[in-house]
Structure formats: C-alpha cells, structure tokens
Amino acid sequence: MKRSHILCMLAMMFAGLPSPSASEISAEQGGIIVLEARIDTSHPPVLQCMGKSWPVEKVDEARWKGWVGIDLATPAGSHACQWQADGLRLSQNITVTKGHFRISRIQVPRRMAEFDPRTLERIRGEIRVLKSSYRVHVEASPPIAMKLLPANGPESTPFGAQRIVNGQPRSPHTGIDIAAPEGTPVMAPLAGKVLYVGNMYLNGNTVVIGHGRGLVSVLSHMADIKVSENQWVKAGELVGHVGQTGRATGPHLHWSVRFHEARINPHALLDAGKQP
Ligand SMILES: [Zn+2]
C-alpha cells in the first residue's frame, strides 16, 4: 500500500516557526493523516477537522499528535484543520487527493437487489442499529492502527470500489473483501469490545468491535459468530468463521473500518501498524 495514506508532519508551530506548505500534508480519500503540533499546554488541545474533533496524544514536552480520518467521500482538495488550546487557535490546511477506485460488478438473486417495503424497512432498521454502534464510547486507548488481517486469503474486492449490482450503480464498497474458504477463522484485527452481534439481511452474520478512540471494525457474512455483545476480545482472538450469509456471491469476509464514523481503508491502518 502507498505510504501516502499516512503522513507524519511536524507541523504546527505556535512559537512562530515556519509551517510547511499545505501540499506537504495530504492523504487520499479513505486515508489517515497524522498531524503534530508544538503547543505548550498542560491539558490536551482540541483538534478539529471537517466538523469533527479528533483524538490527540502527548508526544513529549509541548508536542502533541493528532489523527484525522479522511472519509471515502471527502471531496478532493484543501480542507482546514484547527488546533485550539488556552484561547489560542491555529489553522492548518490538509490536502485530500482522489482515491483510485475500481468498478466492481456483481450479479445476485433479484430478492437481494430489489426489496419489497417490509424488507426495505428491515434493512434500514438494521443499518440504523449498526451505525449507532459506531458511536458507542469504548474505554480503551489503542494505537490508531490495526494489528492483523482478520482472515487469511486473497482480496477479492478492494476498498472504495464502485459497485454495480445487477447492472444498477449502488453505494461504493466501504471495506475490503477477503475471499477465504468457508470455515476460515475470523480474528479480531485489534483488541476491543464487541458492540454489536446480529444477523443482517444484507451483511449476514455481523460483529462490530469498538477498539477505542473512535476506531471500529465491522466483520460481515460470517458462517457463525463466536463472541457476544459487551465481551472484550484480544487482537487475534476468534470472532467467528468465514461464510456467505447475507448478500454474498461466495464465501468471503467483509471487513470495514470506521474512525469517528469516517469510512477508512483498512490497509491505511494496517500500514500504520507496521510503522516503527
Ligand atoms: Zn464487501
């Protein structure tokens, strides 16, 4: 994966030192940006970008680090971020570049592409419950990175692919598909708390793990589920097995990642886990 997903910048200088140009701080749609600020404050500064607050951490004396997730649909171009501390306010621009997303065509039975009002109501209700689980606060402070792939196998559909279902354009693919054989173990990609377990019409057997600091993993289409809600899991712990429940054209694991609800490329976080 490209290193452009993650870019560490020693940037904000309240002391009046020159800031780097905006073009130096960039990531593509679905990436993560790491900002660093030199701010002499005893309590954590607030980092705001794209209408949200993002997690920050003290690096050393007067140096802070913050992580910003670039949602898949963030318009390409310049976006302003702000650090705020002790009445001080400083802006910094980041540049979002367009992701290179391919087109993915699938053919599924009609009942999995066109829905009667009752099924549509069920699907919408399930999505509401799923999305509300992304906002549950989890008392943990992990690194903003994934430790491992949740299943071993070839990637069949990449992040961001524009899906054409039975010839109709649909929403983009917000995770990655790992085409592992039925029964392959599915593991937690990072430690966390199980926030949701359910059998969804489209996603099949699904588990949501909240890792803490607004980082969430969604694992779908499993044959079975081996964890229960509110259970804490370690990285690598068994969550279930690969299957083809819900709307699936064959056995695979769908893994998507949310960071403060932004839809992030799991590879951006796996790459971050490999950084020294
Ligand atoms: Zn998928």
Side-chain angles (χ1 to χ4, degrees), residues 157 163 173-178 221 252-255:
T157 311
R163 283 183 305 185
H173 193 236
T174 60
I176 60 170
D177 286 346
I178 302 165
H221 304 301
H252 74 282
L253 176 72
H254 173 95
W255 176 32

Side-chain angles (χ1 to χ4, degrees), residues 62-272:
R63 217 151 52 97
W64 296 84
K65 189 170 166 180
W67 291 263
V68 178
I70 310 298
D71 183 78
L72 170 65
T74 304
S78 184
H79 298 265
C81 296
Q82 285 190 324
W83 291 88
Q84 293 169 54
D86 300 332
L88 287 167
R89 202 173 200 176
L90 205 71
S91 288
Q92 183 175 38
N93 284 342
I94 58 170
T95 302
V96 175
T97 57
K98 222 170 158 24
H100 301 283
F101 304 132
R102 74 159 213 226
I103 289 178
S104 154
R105 287 173 205 278
I106 60 166
Q107 207 62 33
V108 295
R110 208 168 146 190
R111 67 176 187 91
M112 282 297 177
E114 293 164 41
F115 313 114
D116 59 66
R118 231 178 113 186
T119 306
L120 200 58
E121 200 182 316
R122 176 184 164 183
I123 292 170
R124 286 180 176 151
E126 287 171 347
I127 291 170
R128 265 198 304 276
V129 173
L130 192 71
K131 284 188 173 173
S132 69
S133 75
Y134 303 161
R135 293 190 285 271
V136 173
H137 176 74
V138 173
E139 205 58 59
S141 298
I144 307 298
M146 292 293 164
K147 274 204 162 164
L148 47 97
L149 259 183
N152 294 315
E155 190 171 316
S156 52
T157 311
F159 176 82
Q162 174 59 60
R163 283 183 305 185
I164 314 279
V165 180
N166 294 1
Q168 298 293 316
R170 294 292 163 90
S171 49
H173 193 236
T174 60
I176 60 170
D177 286 346
I178 302 165
E182 180 113 21
T184 303
V186 174
M187 300 158 288
L190 183 67
K193 186 179 184 183
V194 177
L195 300 178
Y196 170 85
V197 163
N199 181 264
M200 303 175 67
Y201 187 82
L202 292 176
N203 294 4
N205 286 329
T206 297
V207 168
V208 175
I209 302 173
H211 303 294
R213 299 171 108 187
L215 194 58
V216 169
S217 280
V218 185
L219 301 158
S220 297
H221 304 301
M222 289 186 284
D224 59 9
I225 292 173
K226 297 293 184 191
V227 291
S228 43
E229 280 179 16
N230 298 318
Q231 180 184 336
W232 287 86
V233 290
K234 296 190 185 98
E237 197 169 325
L238 185 73
V239 170
H241 294 90
V242 170
Q244 46 183 325
T245 52
R247 185 167 74 187
T249 52
H252 74 282
L253 176 72
H254 173 95
W255 176 32
S256 61
V257 170
R258 299 288 184 279
F259 183 40
H260 287 265
E261 295 172 69
R263 297 162 298 175
I264 303 299
N265 188 340
H267 286 293
L269 289 150
L270 285 168
D271 287 354

